[in-house]
Amino acid sequence: MNSPPEGATSGTGTGSGPPAGPSAGLPGGPPAGPSAGSAAGPAAPGTVTKAGHPGRRRPLRDRGPVRRDPTVPPWIFVVPALAVYALVVLYPSLAGVGYAFTDWSGVGDFSFVGLDNFRTLLDDDRALESIGNTLLLTFAVVVVQNGVGLLLALGVNAEIRSRSLLRIIFFAPAVVSPVMVAFLWKYVYNPDNGAGLNAVLGAVGLDGLRQDWLGDPSLALWSVAAMVVWQYAGYSMVIFLAGLQGVPAELHEAARIDGAGTWQRFRHVTWPLLAPALTINLMLSTIGGLKLFDQVYAATNGGPGTSSETLSTVLYKEAFVFGKFGYSTAVALVLALFVAAVSLVQLRYLRAREVTA
């Protein structure tokens, strides 16, 4: 029998395999590949090949994010802010509560007097009148400011070309300093017939309506209220406008199809959905009215007499004019508790209205 050619490999087993080619790496042969048995090529990313077992891979364990032990506890970063807050807000507030039961004059020593400052407040006709003025002023500001703000919001929410400009114009006074607004309106309320509001009334033939707006005890408080409404009606408008734009147009369209008129759509569709905006506006205007100080002090200084005196102006004068810091802090404590009580009652009622609406 003839032997196979030299270099040929005799088959074993079935002998059906292809003849062996030239040795790997020799000239003209294929390039050297991976080790025998690793026909699948290099290991895929994220897997390892177990030594001695070619072709078998096992996935790497997912150990999750690496956690590092913090060298500094997270709450340590809040300490500076808390320290400043405690120094500027908490300490003066708590100290004021303590001074309300003393006869401190602002300097020097003081002694504990118990509830004498609060008894003096109840017997002080000027302070009691200021409480009445504060309530009247707050009522006028809350009702008129929110009424005007709602009307302005309904107006600028309509599809008119100048609505963006009108929004800016109406909101602009809210960002002006209250003291600047007070001095501006002092000119508007100039008692001279040739200046301010009196000049305008004379120009349109309403001479009989000319008044000493800030000098008349019966008009001074309402003149201040008009000043506050003029400044913050645009602020209320913005909040109402946000509420109006949150009312789905589909509800108005459905009501219109059902035959509802403009007033009916406002009463039964728009108004109930404005409950959150109304809550915010009533809360802000009530708190602002109860603690109103800047406009009153700059425009009338509580006068003429005590006709426009508020609790805020009383406590300021008792502290910095008469030097009764103990008594003034008692007035401030009563004012703070009163504002908190009114706000909580109002908030509870308005939140319940939001649910029923």
Side-chain angles (χ1 to χ4, degrees):
M1 295 178 63
N2 295 329
S3 60
E6 185 180 358
T9 305
S10 58
T12 59
T14 61
S16 60
S23 301
L26 293 178
S35 303
S38 58
T47 63
V48 294
T49 302
K50 188 175 181 180
H53 297 277
R56 296 178 59 184
R57 298 178 178 86
R58 57 180 179 180
L60 290 173
R61 289 184 178 179
D62 186 7
R63 299 181 179 177
V66 179
R67 297 182 179 179
R68 297 183 178 89
D69 294 333
T71 57
V72 178
W75 56 264
I76 202 68
F77 297 100
V78 187
V79 171
L82 289 178
V84 173
Y85 182 78
L87 180 64
V88 177
V89 178
L90 293 181
Y91 173 73
S93 301
L94 296 176
V97 173
Y99 289 138
F101 301 93
T102 67
D103 60 354
W104 188 43
S105 63
V107 293
D109 297 331
F110 56 87
S111 58
F112 181 78
V113 295
L115 299 176
D116 288 351
N117 289 329
F118 299 95
R119 296 190 186 97
T120 303
L121 175 62
L122 295 177
D123 294 335
D124 189 349
D125 294 336
R126 177 164 155 266
L128 294 178
E129 183 182 2
S130 70
I131 294 175
N133 292 338
T134 302
L135 294 176
L136 288 175
L137 184 61
T138 301
F139 179 79
V141 168
V142 169
V143 173
V144 181
Q145 175 181 317
N146 288 286
V148 174
L150 179 58
L151 293 176
L152 293 177
L154 292 171
V156 299
N157 192 48
E159 295 296 329
I160 55 177
R161 299 180 60 181
S162 59
R163 61 183 181 274
S164 298
L165 178 61
L166 291 175
R167 293 173 186 177
I168 297 173
I169 293 175
F170 293 144
F171 180 72
V175 300
V176 181
S177 168
V179 176
M180 292 183 62
V181 170
F183 282 112
L184 171 65
W185 278 82
K186 284 186 72 172
Y187 173 77
V188 173
Y189 289 140
N190 194 317
D192 189 355
N193 291 335
L197 181 59
N198 285 338
V200 175
L201 293 174
V204 297
L206 299 176
D207 297 341
L209 296 181
R210 292 174 174 174
Q211 303 288 338
D212 185 0
W213 302 98
L214 297 178
D216 188 342
S218 62
L219 295 175
L221 188 67
W222 309 115
S223 299
V224 174
M227 178 195 315
V228 177
V229 169
W230 177 85
Q231 181 174 12
Y232 292 112
Y235 190 87
S236 298
M237 175 203 71
V238 171
I239 298 176
F240 279 128
L241 184 60
L244 288 173
Q245 293 179 346
V247 178
E250 294 81 3
L251 296 179
H252 284 286
E253 186 63 26
R256 189 180 294 108
I257 293 174
D258 290 340
T262 303
W263 168 250
Q264 291 176 322
R265 292 198 304 272
F266 173 79
R267 173 66 182 85
H268 298 288
V269 178
T270 304
W271 181 246
L273 296 178
L274 280 180
L278 181 65
T279 298
I280 296 173
N281 270 329
L282 290 180
M283 290 293 300
L284 291 177
S285 56
T286 300
I287 295 173
L290 290 175
K291 64 184 186 63
L292 195 64
F293 170 77
D294 298 3
Q295 293 92 333
V296 177
Y297 190 79
T300 65
N301 196 20
T306 58
S307 60
S308 63
E309 201 84 83
T310 64
L311 271 177
S312 297
T313 58
V314 167
L315 71 88
Y316 174 83
K317 291 178 180 179
E318 292 294 339
F320 299 102
V321 176
F322 304 113
K324 300 179 180 179
F325 277 84
Y327 178 62
S328 68
T329 52
V331 176
L333 181 59
V334 170
L335 176 60
L337 294 176
F338 183 68
V339 170
V342 172
S343 301
L344 289 175
V345 172
Q346 188 182 45
L347 180 61
R348 188 169 183 177
Y349 169 76
L350 293 173
R351 289 298 188 189
R353 178 187 177 277
E354 289 181 23
V355 175
T356 57

